[in-house]
Amino acid sequence: MAVATITTKLFDITSPAAPTVRRKPLPAGQPREWYETHNRRLKAMRLAIVLLDSGVYHPAGANNRKIRATAARVGIHPPSDTTCRMVRALIRYGR
């Protein structure tokens, strides 16, 4: 009698975990600058979280080159100088 084998994959290391947060549409009727600032803050927060997780705990350790390399590594468009300053501010005030 043949024995059936069941293989279960508990962890898939090859694919990154997808966020489970549902996105809501942004409110309509705001000026364009509001949307740009909102998206810039979201990008800065994502980058600050990744940098903190990778061991960068001081703003001096997060220069523009390191922030842009981190963005490329996680698949985020390269941030502007303004966004890089926001990332350093988030790291500074998060302490």
Side-chain angles (χ1 to χ4, degrees), residues 57-89:
Y57 299 114
H58 298 285
N63 57 15
N64 287 357
R65 182 179 292 165
K66 183 167 208 131
I67 293 171
R68 288 186 177 117
T70 302
R73 191 179 74 220
V74 296
I76 300 174
H77 285 283
S80 65
D81 291 340
T82 305
T83 306
C84 291
R85 278 194 303 273
M86 290 177 89
V87 170
R88 284 189 289 276

Side-chain angles (χ1 to χ4, degrees), residues 1 5 15-16 19 21 32 34 49 53-54 56 66-67 77 84:
M1 176 173 199
T5 58
S15 66
V21 178
R32 181 172 178 79
W34 185 90
I49 289 168
D53 287 345
S54 68
V56 178
K66 183 167 208 131
I67 293 171
H77 285 283
C84 291

